[in-house]
Amino acid sequence: MGFEFFEEREFKETELGPLPVDWQVVRLGEVVDTIKGKKPKTLTEVYSSGYIPYLTTLYLRAKVPDKFCNPEDESAVLVDSYEVILIWDGSNAGEVFIGMSGVLASTMVKIIPKEEAEIENKFLYYYLKTKFDLLNVQTVGSTIPHVSKNLFYNLPIPLPPLEEQKAIAEVLRRVQVAIEKTEEVIRATKGLKKSMMKHLFTYGNVPIDKVDRVKLKETEIGLIPEHWQVVRLREVVEEATNGDWGNDKFTDGFSQCHVIRGTDFTKMDRGLYNEVPKRYIKTSKLSSLALKPNDLLIELSGGGPDQPTGRIFIVRDHIIERLNPVCFSNFVKRIRVNMELTHPEFFYRYWQYLYIQGRTRLYERRTTGIRNFKFIDFINSENISLPPLKEQKEIARILQAVDEKIQKEQERKKALENLFKSLLHNLMSGKIRIKMGE
C-alpha cells in the first residue's frame, strides 16, 4: 500500500476553520462512548500463571508490566490492543495510548467508537494527541484532577471519509515507528558507550578477545594495566575558578557576554546556542572569566529531579566561535588540567565515567532544598587512572566517535518529531490530503 499527497482545492468553512468539503465536523460524544477502569480484586505485583498486565501509566510508557491480575476477575475491565486508552485522573490527565492490551486501571478510560459511527480507532488516537494540552489544562476536581466530561464529549472532531482516516493514521504511524526505532538506537548506543567506558578504563584500547594478554595490577580503584598510574583528581586539576552571573542590565564598567549555566550544557550539545543568556560582567574580570577551547565546566548546583549535580562539559572551538565572548555563572566551576599529565578530552571522558557510576552523587549536599556539589571534597577524594598521553588521546577519540553517533541519532529523532507534529496538524486540518495508492 502506498500513499500520494495532494492538495484539495474545495474547502468549506466550519467551526474548525476551512476543511475539505467531504469532511464532517461532529462532537466527540456523538461518535464515541467511554468505559472507566476499575481496581480489580486480584491485583498483585507478582506474576501468576494466566494473569495479564494491569495497565498502569508506568507500563503504558515503559512497556514493562509492574502489576498483574486475573482476567476472569468480575471487576476487571479488559482492553484489546486496538482500543484507545485515555488517562482520566491525575496530573497526566488527557494523555492517550493505543496498542496495549490488559486490564484497565481505575484512573483511565477506554474509548469505544459507537456502532453506527464511521471512525477509525487509530485516527481517533492521533486526533486526541492534539488535544492533550487542552484536556490537561482544563481538568476539574478540587483534590484529584480529572478530565472534564463536558469538555471531552463536546470536543469538535473533523471526520474525513473512513478510508482517508485510515490513510492519515497509517502515515502518522509510520513516522511514529521511525521515532521509536531511533529511540531504540539511542538507548542501545548509550548502553554501548557505558560498556566501552568500563572496558577502555580497565584494559585500554584492546580488543575484547585479547584482554587476557594485558598485564594488570591491583590498585585502589581496581585492576588497571601495569604501565598506567593512579593519582588523585586534584593532582591533575591545575586551576579551578569560580564564575560570575553578572547583571541583566548595563552598568558603567561592565561588558556584555554570554554566560553558561549548568542548564545550558545540554542545550549547547544540541546546538541551541541562542538560548545561552547574555549578561553584563565587570570589564576588569572579563579576560579572566572568558572561556577557551578545552576548558572544562562542572555543574555545582541545580539539575533536574533525577539528574545529579557534578556534570561536566567541555568547551569546544565552535562554541567560542558562536558565542564569543563567553563566560560561566557562579553555579559553575571552570577547571583547567595539567596538560603534561592528562589530555582534556580524556579527563572529560573519565569524569563522565565517574558521573555515570554515581560517584558524583556521593558528594551532593542539600541546602534549603537546593542540591550542591562539593567539588573540593570530590577532587580531594576521587582518583583517576592515567595511561600515557598517546593512549589517553586514543581512548578519548573512540568515545567521542560514539558520542557523535548518539548526537546524529538525537538530531534525527528531533527532525522526525518535528515532521510528526507538522503532519499531525496538516493532516488533521485537511491542509495536506492523502490518496490511497496501490
Side-chain angles (χ1 to χ4, degrees), residues 338-390:
N338 184 334
M339 301 282 280
E340 293 182 0
L341 290 175
T342 187
H343 191 272
E345 189 76 35
F346 176 84
F347 185 91
Y348 167 63
R349 300 294 169 183
Y350 201 95
W351 189 295
Q352 277 189 329
Y353 181 55
L354 294 173
Y355 177 86
I356 290 171
Q357 287 182 313
R359 299 301 302 175
T360 56
R361 193 182 286 271
L362 300 177
Y363 297 84
E364 275 192 350
R365 301 293 182 270
R366 285 186 178 271
T367 306
T368 62
I370 299 174
R371 289 180 292 112
N372 296 299
F373 176 60
K374 299 300 182 181
F375 171 80
I376 298 299
D377 293 347
F378 184 73
I379 65 169
N380 283 338
S381 303
E382 293 293 320
N383 298 304
I384 182 172
S385 61
L386 290 179
L389 282 170
K390 184 177 180 181

Short mmCIF file of all heavy atoms in Angstrom, two decimals, residues 338-390:
data_model
loop_
_atom_site.label_atom_id
_atom_site.label_comp_id
_atom_site.label_asym_id
_atom_site.label_seq_id
_atom_site.Cartn_x
_atom_site.Cartn_y
_atom_site.Cartn_z
N ASN A 338 46.39 19.87 34.00
CA ASN A 338 47.82 19.83 33.70
C ASN A 338 48.02 19.02 32.42
O ASN A 338 47.88 17.80 32.41
CB ASN A 338 48.57 19.19 34.87
CG ASN A 338 50.07 19.20 34.68
OD1 ASN A 338 50.58 19.24 33.56
ND2 ASN A 338 50.80 19.16 35.78
N MET A 339 48.36 19.71 31.35
CA MET A 339 48.44 19.07 30.03
C MET A 339 49.59 18.09 29.93
O MET A 339 49.65 17.28 29.01
CB MET A 339 48.56 20.15 28.95
CG MET A 339 47.42 21.13 28.93
SD MET A 339 45.93 20.48 28.15
CE MET A 339 46.33 20.68 26.42
N GLU A 340 50.54 18.16 30.87
CA GLU A 340 51.65 17.21 30.85
C GLU A 340 51.24 15.86 31.43
O GLU A 340 51.88 14.84 31.17
CB GLU A 340 52.84 17.77 31.64
CG GLU A 340 53.46 19.00 30.98
CD GLU A 340 54.66 19.51 31.75
OE1 GLU A 340 55.00 18.91 32.80
OE2 GLU A 340 55.26 20.51 31.32
N LEU A 341 50.14 15.88 32.22
CA LEU A 341 49.67 14.64 32.85
C LEU A 341 48.47 14.04 32.14
O LEU A 341 48.34 12.82 32.05
CB LEU A 341 49.30 14.90 34.31
CG LEU A 341 50.44 15.19 35.28
CD1 LEU A 341 49.88 15.54 36.66
CD2 LEU A 341 51.37 13.99 35.38
N THR A 342 47.59 14.90 31.67
CA THR A 342 46.35 14.38 31.07
C THR A 342 45.88 15.25 29.93
O THR A 342 46.09 16.47 29.94
CB THR A 342 45.24 14.24 32.13
OG1 THR A 342 44.11 13.59 31.54
CG2 THR A 342 44.79 15.59 32.66
N HIS A 343 45.23 14.62 28.97
CA HIS A 343 44.61 15.34 27.86
C HIS A 343 43.21 15.76 28.30
O HIS A 343 42.47 14.96 28.90
CB HIS A 343 44.54 14.43 26.63
CG HIS A 343 44.16 15.15 25.39
ND1 HIS A 343 42.84 15.33 25.02
CD2 HIS A 343 44.92 15.75 24.43
CE1 HIS A 343 42.81 16.00 23.88
NE2 HIS A 343 44.04 16.27 23.51
N PRO A 344 42.80 17.02 28.04
CA PRO A 344 41.49 17.49 28.50
C PRO A 344 40.33 16.59 28.06
O PRO A 344 39.39 16.35 28.83
CB PRO A 344 41.36 18.88 27.88
CG PRO A 344 42.76 19.33 27.67
CD PRO A 344 43.54 18.09 27.36
N GLU A 345 40.39 16.08 26.83
CA GLU A 345 39.31 15.21 26.33
C GLU A 345 39.25 13.91 27.11
O GLU A 345 38.16 13.40 27.42
CB GLU A 345 39.52 14.93 24.84
CG GLU A 345 38.36 14.22 24.17
CD GLU A 345 37.19 15.13 23.87
OE1 GLU A 345 37.40 16.31 23.55
OE2 GLU A 345 36.04 14.65 23.98
N PHE A 346 40.40 13.36 27.46
CA PHE A 346 40.43 12.14 28.27
C PHE A 346 39.89 12.43 29.66
O PHE A 346 39.08 11.65 30.19
CB PHE A 346 41.85 11.59 28.38
CG PHE A 346 41.97 10.38 29.27
CD1 PHE A 346 41.69 9.11 28.79
CD2 PHE A 346 42.33 10.51 30.61
CE1 PHE A 346 41.78 7.99 29.61
CE2 PHE A 346 42.42 9.40 31.44
CZ PHE A 346 42.14 8.14 30.94
N PHE A 347 40.31 13.53 30.27
CA PHE A 347 39.81 13.90 31.60
C PHE A 347 38.30 14.06 31.58
O PHE A 347 37.59 13.61 32.48
CB PHE A 347 40.47 15.21 32.05
CG PHE A 347 40.12 15.62 33.45
CD1 PHE A 347 40.90 15.23 34.53
CD2 PHE A 347 39.00 16.41 33.70
CE1 PHE A 347 40.58 15.61 35.82
CE2 PHE A 347 38.66 16.80 34.98
CZ PHE A 347 39.45 16.40 36.06
N TYR A 348 37.79 14.71 30.53
CA TYR A 348 36.34 14.90 30.35
C TYR A 348 35.62 13.56 30.31
O TYR A 348 34.61 13.36 30.98
CB TYR A 348 36.12 15.68 29.05
CG TYR A 348 34.70 15.72 28.54
CD1 TYR A 348 33.69 16.31 29.27
CD2 TYR A 348 34.39 15.18 27.28
CE1 TYR A 348 32.39 16.37 28.77
CE2 TYR A 348 33.11 15.23 26.78
CZ TYR A 348 32.11 15.83 27.53
OH TYR A 348 30.84 15.87 27.04
N ARG A 349 36.18 12.61 29.56
CA ARG A 349 35.55 11.28 29.45
C ARG A 349 35.63 10.53 30.78
O ARG A 349 34.68 9.84 31.16
CB ARG A 349 36.23 10.46 28.36
CG ARG A 349 36.18 11.09 26.98
CD ARG A 349 34.77 11.17 26.46
NE ARG A 349 34.70 12.00 25.27
CZ ARG A 349 33.57 12.29 24.63
NH1 ARG A 349 32.43 11.81 25.09
NH2 ARG A 349 33.57 13.06 23.56
N TYR A 350 36.74 10.64 31.48
CA TYR A 350 36.88 9.91 32.74
C TYR A 350 35.92 10.48 33.79
O TYR A 350 35.31 9.73 34.55
CB TYR A 350 38.32 9.98 33.25
CG TYR A 350 38.64 8.88 34.23
CD1 TYR A 350 39.23 7.70 33.81
CD2 TYR A 350 38.31 9.00 35.58
CE1 TYR A 350 39.51 6.67 34.69
CE2 TYR A 350 38.56 7.98 36.48
CZ TYR A 350 39.17 6.82 36.03
OH TYR A 350 39.42 5.79 36.91
N TRP A 351 35.77 11.81 33.81
CA TRP A 351 34.81 12.41 34.75
C TRP A 351 33.40 11.94 34.41
O TRP A 351 32.60 11.64 35.30
CB TRP A 351 34.91 13.94 34.67
CG TRP A 351 34.13 14.67 35.74
CD1 TRP A 351 32.76 14.69 35.90
CD2 TRP A 351 34.66 15.47 36.80
NE1 TRP A 351 32.42 15.47 36.97
CE2 TRP A 351 33.57 15.96 37.56
CE3 TRP A 351 35.95 15.83 37.17
CZ2 TRP A 351 33.72 16.79 38.66
CZ3 TRP A 351 36.10 16.67 38.28
CH2 TRP A 351 35.01 17.13 39.01
N GLN A 352 33.06 11.87 33.13
CA GLN A 352 31.76 11.33 32.71
C GLN A 352 31.57 9.92 33.26
O GLN A 352 30.47 9.57 33.71
CB GLN A 352 31.66 11.28 31.18
CG GLN A 352 31.27 12.57 30.51
CD GLN A 352 30.99 12.37 29.04
OE1 GLN A 352 31.58 11.49 28.38
NE2 GLN A 352 30.08 13.15 28.49
N TYR A 353 32.62 9.13 33.19
CA TYR A 353 32.57 7.75 33.69
C TYR A 353 32.26 7.73 35.19
O TYR A 353 31.41 6.96 35.64
CB TYR A 353 33.91 7.08 33.40
CG TYR A 353 34.03 5.64 33.83
CD1 TYR A 353 33.12 4.68 33.40
CD2 TYR A 353 35.08 5.23 34.65
CE1 TYR A 353 33.24 3.35 33.78
CE2 TYR A 353 35.22 3.91 35.03
CZ TYR A 353 34.30 2.97 34.60
OH TYR A 353 34.41 1.66 34.97
N LEU A 354 32.90 8.60 35.95
CA LEU A 354 32.64 8.69 37.39
C LEU A 354 31.20 9.15 37.64
O LEU A 354 30.52 8.67 38.56
CB LEU A 354 33.63 9.65 38.05
CG LEU A 354 35.10 9.21 38.05
CD1 LEU A 354 35.98 10.32 38.59
CD2 LEU A 354 35.29 7.93 38.86
N TYR A 355 30.73 10.06 36.80
CA TYR A 355 29.36 10.56 36.93
C TYR A 355 28.35 9.44 36.67
O TYR A 355 27.39 9.25 37.41
CB TYR A 355 29.16 11.71 35.93
CG TYR A 355 27.76 12.29 35.89
CD1 TYR A 355 27.38 13.29 36.77
CD2 TYR A 355 26.82 11.84 34.97
CE1 TYR A 355 26.10 13.83 36.72
CE2 TYR A 355 25.55 12.37 34.91
CZ TYR A 355 25.20 13.37 35.79
OH TYR A 355 23.93 13.89 35.75
N ILE A 356 28.57 8.68 35.58
CA ILE A 356 27.67 7.57 35.24
C ILE A 356 27.66 6.51 36.34
O ILE A 356 26.63 5.92 36.65
CB ILE A 356 28.09 6.95 33.89
CG1 ILE A 356 27.79 7.92 32.75
CG2 ILE A 356 27.37 5.62 33.64
CD1 ILE A 356 28.37 7.49 31.41
N GLN A 357 28.81 6.30 36.97
CA GLN A 357 28.90 5.33 38.07
C GLN A 357 28.21 5.82 39.34
O GLN A 357 28.03 5.04 40.29
CB GLN A 357 30.37 5.06 38.39
CG GLN A 357 31.09 4.20 37.36
CD GLN A 357 32.52 3.94 37.78
OE1 GLN A 357 33.25 4.85 38.18
NE2 GLN A 357 32.92 2.68 37.74
N GLY A 358 27.81 7.09 39.37
CA GLY A 358 27.17 7.64 40.56
C GLY A 358 28.13 8.18 41.60
O GLY A 358 27.73 8.50 42.72
N ARG A 359 29.42 8.32 41.23
CA ARG A 359 30.40 8.80 42.21
C ARG A 359 30.13 10.25 42.60
O ARG A 359 30.31 10.63 43.77
CB ARG A 359 31.81 8.68 41.63
CG ARG A 359 32.26 7.27 41.29
CD ARG A 359 32.24 6.35 42.48
NE ARG A 359 33.09 6.84 43.58
CZ ARG A 359 33.17 6.25 44.77
NH1 ARG A 359 32.42 5.19 45.03
NH2 ARG A 359 33.96 6.74 45.70
N THR A 360 29.70 11.08 41.65
CA THR A 360 29.45 12.49 41.99
C THR A 360 28.30 12.64 42.96
O THR A 360 28.29 13.55 43.79
CB THR A 360 29.15 13.29 40.71
OG1 THR A 360 28.04 12.71 40.02
CG2 THR A 360 30.36 13.34 39.79
N ARG A 361 27.32 11.74 42.88
CA ARG A 361 26.15 11.83 43.76
C ARG A 361 26.55 11.69 45.24
O ARG A 361 25.87 12.20 46.13
CB ARG A 361 25.12 10.76 43.38
CG ARG A 361 23.76 10.96 44.02
CD ARG A 361 22.82 9.82 43.63
NE ARG A 361 22.37 9.93 42.26
CZ ARG A 361 21.29 10.60 41.89
NH1 ARG A 361 20.58 11.26 42.78
NH2 ARG A 361 20.93 10.62 40.62
N LEU A 362 27.65 10.98 45.49
CA LEU A 362 28.12 10.80 46.87
C LEU A 362 28.59 12.11 47.49
O LEU A 362 28.74 12.21 48.72
CB LEU A 362 29.28 9.79 46.90
CG LEU A 362 28.97 8.38 46.38
CD1 LEU A 362 30.23 7.53 46.40
CD2 LEU A 362 27.87 7.73 47.21
N TYR A 363 28.81 13.13 46.64
CA TYR A 363 29.33 14.40 47.13
C TYR A 363 28.30 15.52 46.99
O TYR A 363 28.65 16.70 46.94
CB TYR A 363 30.62 14.76 46.38
CG TYR A 363 31.72 13.76 46.63
CD1 TYR A 363 31.79 12.58 45.88
CD2 TYR A 363 32.65 13.94 47.63
CE1 TYR A 363 32.77 11.64 46.11
CE2 TYR A 363 33.64 13.01 47.88
CZ TYR A 363 33.70 11.85 47.12
OH TYR A 363 34.68 10.91 47.37
N GLU A 364 27.05 15.14 46.95
CA GLU A 364 25.96 16.11 46.92
C GLU A 364 25.50 16.43 48.34
O GLU A 364 25.44 15.55 49.19
CB GLU A 364 24.75 15.57 46.13
CG GLU A 364 24.85 15.78 44.65
CD GLU A 364 23.53 15.50 43.97
OE1 GLU A 364 22.60 14.96 44.60
OE2 GLU A 364 23.43 15.80 42.78
N ARG A 365 25.15 17.68 48.55
CA ARG A 365 24.58 18.09 49.82
C ARG A 365 23.39 18.99 49.53
O ARG A 365 23.39 19.74 48.55
CB ARG A 365 25.61 18.85 50.67
CG ARG A 365 26.87 18.05 50.99
CD ARG A 365 26.58 16.86 51.92
NE ARG A 365 27.81 16.15 52.25
CZ ARG A 365 28.30 15.14 51.55
NH1 ARG A 365 27.68 14.73 50.45
NH2 ARG A 365 29.42 14.53 51.91
N ARG A 366 22.39 18.94 50.41
CA ARG A 366 21.21 19.79 50.23
C ARG A 366 21.26 20.96 51.20
O ARG A 366 21.50 20.79 52.39
CB ARG A 366 19.92 19.00 50.45
CG ARG A 366 19.57 18.08 49.29
CD ARG A 366 18.22 17.42 49.50
NE ARG A 366 17.86 16.58 48.38
CZ ARG A 366 17.21 17.01 47.29
NH1 ARG A 366 16.86 18.27 47.20
NH2 ARG A 366 16.92 16.18 46.31
N THR A 367 21.02 22.16 50.66
CA THR A 367 20.94 23.36 51.49
C THR A 367 19.68 24.10 51.10
O THR A 367 19.55 24.56 49.96
CB THR A 367 22.17 24.27 51.25
OG1 THR A 367 23.35 23.50 51.45
CG2 THR A 367 22.17 25.44 52.21
N THR A 368 18.74 24.20 52.05
CA THR A 368 17.44 24.86 51.80
C THR A 368 16.79 24.37 50.51
O THR A 368 16.32 25.14 49.70
CB THR A 368 17.59 26.39 51.75
OG1 THR A 368 18.47 26.74 50.66
CG2 THR A 368 18.14 26.91 53.07
N GLY A 369 16.83 23.05 50.33
CA GLY A 369 16.15 22.44 49.18
C GLY A 369 16.96 22.42 47.90
O GLY A 369 16.53 21.83 46.91
N ILE A 370 18.13 23.07 47.88
CA ILE A 370 18.97 23.11 46.68
C ILE A 370 20.09 22.09 46.82
O ILE A 370 20.74 22.01 47.86
CB ILE A 370 19.57 24.51 46.46
CG1 ILE A 370 18.44 25.53 46.27
CG2 ILE A 370 20.49 24.52 45.25
CD1 ILE A 370 18.93 26.96 46.19
N ARG A 371 20.32 21.31 45.78
CA ARG A 371 21.40 20.32 45.80
C ARG A 371 22.69 20.96 45.32
O ARG A 371 22.73 21.59 44.27
CB ARG A 371 21.04 19.12 44.92
CG ARG A 371 19.93 18.28 45.52
CD ARG A 371 19.55 17.09 44.66
NE ARG A 371 18.91 17.51 43.42
CZ ARG A 371 19.46 17.38 42.23
NH1 ARG A 371 20.64 16.85 42.10
NH2 ARG A 371 18.81 17.76 41.15
N ASN A 372 23.74 20.81 46.12
CA ASN A 372 25.04 21.38 45.80
C ASN A 372 26.09 20.28 45.70
O ASN A 372 26.07 19.32 46.46
CB ASN A 372 25.46 22.39 46.87
CG ASN A 372 24.52 23.58 46.92
OD1 ASN A 372 24.37 24.31 45.95
ND2 ASN A 372 23.86 23.78 48.06
N PHE A 373 27.00 20.46 44.75
CA PHE A 373 28.08 19.50 44.54
C PHE A 373 29.33 20.00 45.25
O PHE A 373 29.81 21.11 45.01
CB PHE A 373 28.35 19.36 43.04
CG PHE A 373 29.50 18.46 42.70
CD1 PHE A 373 29.50 17.13 43.09
CD2 PHE A 373 30.60 18.95 42.00
CE1 PHE A 373 30.56 16.29 42.78
CE2 PHE A 373 31.66 18.13 41.68
CZ PHE A 373 31.65 16.80 42.07
N LYS A 374 29.88 19.16 46.14
CA LYS A 374 31.08 19.51 46.91
C LYS A 374 32.32 19.20 46.06
O LYS A 374 32.95 18.15 46.18
CB LYS A 374 31.10 18.75 48.23
CG LYS A 374 29.92 19.06 49.14
CD LYS A 374 29.88 20.54 49.50
CE LYS A 374 28.73 20.87 50.43
NZ LYS A 374 28.69 22.31 50.76
N PHE A 375 32.66 20.16 45.22
CA PHE A 375 33.73 19.98 44.24
C PHE A 375 35.07 19.67 44.90
O PHE A 375 35.76 18.73 44.51
CB PHE A 375 33.82 21.25 43.38
CG PHE A 375 35.02 21.28 42.47
CD1 PHE A 375 35.01 20.59 41.27
CD2 PHE A 375 36.17 22.00 42.82
CE1 PHE A 375 36.11 20.61 40.44
CE2 PHE A 375 37.27 22.02 41.98
CZ PHE A 375 37.24 21.33 40.79
N ILE A 376 35.45 20.46 45.90
CA ILE A 376 36.75 20.28 46.54
C ILE A 376 36.85 18.90 47.18
O ILE A 376 37.86 18.20 47.06
CB ILE A 376 37.01 21.39 47.58
CG1 ILE A 376 37.06 22.76 46.90
CG2 ILE A 376 38.31 21.12 48.33
CD1 ILE A 376 38.17 22.90 45.86
N ASP A 377 35.78 18.50 47.89
CA ASP A 377 35.77 17.17 48.51
C ASP A 377 35.94 16.08 47.45
O ASP A 377 36.64 15.08 47.67
CB ASP A 377 34.47 16.94 49.28
CG ASP A 377 34.35 17.85 50.50
OD1 ASP A 377 35.37 18.46 50.87
OD2 ASP A 377 33.25 17.94 51.05
N PHE A 378 35.29 16.28 46.32
CA PHE A 378 35.33 15.28 45.25
C PHE A 378 36.74 15.12 44.69
O PHE A 378 37.27 14.00 44.61
CB PHE A 378 34.36 15.67 44.13
CG PHE A 378 34.26 14.67 43.02
CD1 PHE A 378 33.59 13.47 43.20
CD2 PHE A 378 34.83 14.92 41.78
CE1 PHE A 378 33.48 12.53 42.17
CE2 PHE A 378 34.73 14.00 40.75
CZ PHE A 378 34.06 12.81 40.95
N ILE A 379 37.37 16.23 44.30
CA ILE A 379 38.70 16.10 43.67
C ILE A 379 39.77 15.70 44.69
O ILE A 379 40.81 15.16 44.32
CB ILE A 379 39.12 17.38 42.92
CG1 ILE A 379 39.31 18.55 43.88
CG2 ILE A 379 38.12 17.70 41.82
CD1 ILE A 379 39.98 19.76 43.19
N ASN A 380 39.52 15.96 46.00
CA ASN A 380 40.48 15.54 47.03
C ASN A 380 40.34 14.07 47.38
O ASN A 380 41.26 13.48 47.97
CB ASN A 380 40.30 16.38 48.29
CG ASN A 380 40.90 17.77 48.17
OD1 ASN A 380 41.79 17.99 47.34
ND2 ASN A 380 40.42 18.70 48.97
N SER A 381 39.20 13.47 47.01
CA SER A 381 38.94 12.09 47.43
C SER A 381 38.97 11.09 46.28
O SER A 381 39.36 9.93 46.48
CB SER A 381 37.56 12.01 48.10
OG SER A 381 37.48 12.89 49.20
N GLU A 382 38.55 11.50 45.09
CA GLU A 382 38.43 10.57 43.98
C GLU A 382 39.72 10.48 43.18
O GLU A 382 40.50 11.44 43.09
CB GLU A 382 37.28 10.99 43.06
CG GLU A 382 35.91 10.87 43.71
CD GLU A 382 35.51 9.43 43.99
OE1 GLU A 382 35.77 8.56 43.15
OE2 GLU A 382 34.92 9.19 45.06
N ASN A 383 39.92 9.32 42.56
CA ASN A 383 41.12 9.05 41.79
C ASN A 383 40.83 8.98 40.30
O ASN A 383 39.68 8.81 39.88
CB ASN A 383 41.74 7.71 42.22
CG ASN A 383 42.17 7.71 43.67
OD1 ASN A 383 42.96 8.56 44.08
ND2 ASN A 383 41.67 6.77 44.45
N ILE A 384 41.89 9.09 39.53
CA ILE A 384 41.80 8.91 38.08
C ILE A 384 42.96 8.02 37.66
O ILE A 384 44.08 8.13 38.17
CB ILE A 384 41.87 10.28 37.35
CG1 ILE A 384 41.73 10.10 35.83
CG2 ILE A 384 43.14 11.05 37.69
CD1 ILE A 384 41.59 11.42 35.07
N SER A 385 42.68 7.09 36.75
CA SER A 385 43.76 6.25 36.21
C SER A 385 44.28 6.91 34.95
O SER A 385 43.49 7.33 34.10
CB SER A 385 43.24 4.84 35.91
OG SER A 385 42.21 4.88 34.95
N LEU A 386 45.60 7.01 34.84
CA LEU A 386 46.21 7.74 33.74
C LEU A 386 47.10 6.84 32.88
O LEU A 386 48.19 6.45 33.31
CB LEU A 386 47.05 8.90 34.28
CG LEU A 386 46.28 10.07 34.90
CD1 LEU A 386 47.27 11.11 35.41
CD2 LEU A 386 45.31 10.69 33.91
N PRO A 387 46.65 6.54 31.67
CA PRO A 387 47.54 5.90 30.69
C PRO A 387 48.53 6.96 30.18
O PRO A 387 48.37 8.15 30.44
CB PRO A 387 46.59 5.46 29.58
CG PRO A 387 45.21 5.70 30.09
CD PRO A 387 45.30 6.74 31.13
N PRO A 388 49.52 6.56 29.41
CA PRO A 388 50.35 7.54 28.72
C PRO A 388 49.48 8.43 27.83
O PRO A 388 48.41 8.02 27.38
CB PRO A 388 51.30 6.67 27.88
CG PRO A 388 51.36 5.37 28.62
CD PRO A 388 49.98 5.17 29.19
N LEU A 389 49.94 9.64 27.58
CA LEU A 389 49.13 10.63 26.84
C LEU A 389 48.65 10.10 25.49
O LEU A 389 47.51 10.37 25.08
CB LEU A 389 49.93 11.91 26.64
CG LEU A 389 50.01 12.83 27.87
CD1 LEU A 389 51.02 13.94 27.64
CD2 LEU A 389 48.64 13.41 28.20
N LYS A 390 49.50 9.35 24.79
CA LYS A 390 49.10 8.83 23.48
C LYS A 390 47.88 7.92 23.62
O LYS A 390 46.94 7.98 22.82
CB LYS A 390 50.26 8.07 22.85
CG LYS A 390 49.97 7.57 21.44
CD LYS A 390 51.18 6.89 20.82
CE LYS A 390 50.88 6.39 19.41
NZ LYS A 390 52.05 5.71 18.80
#
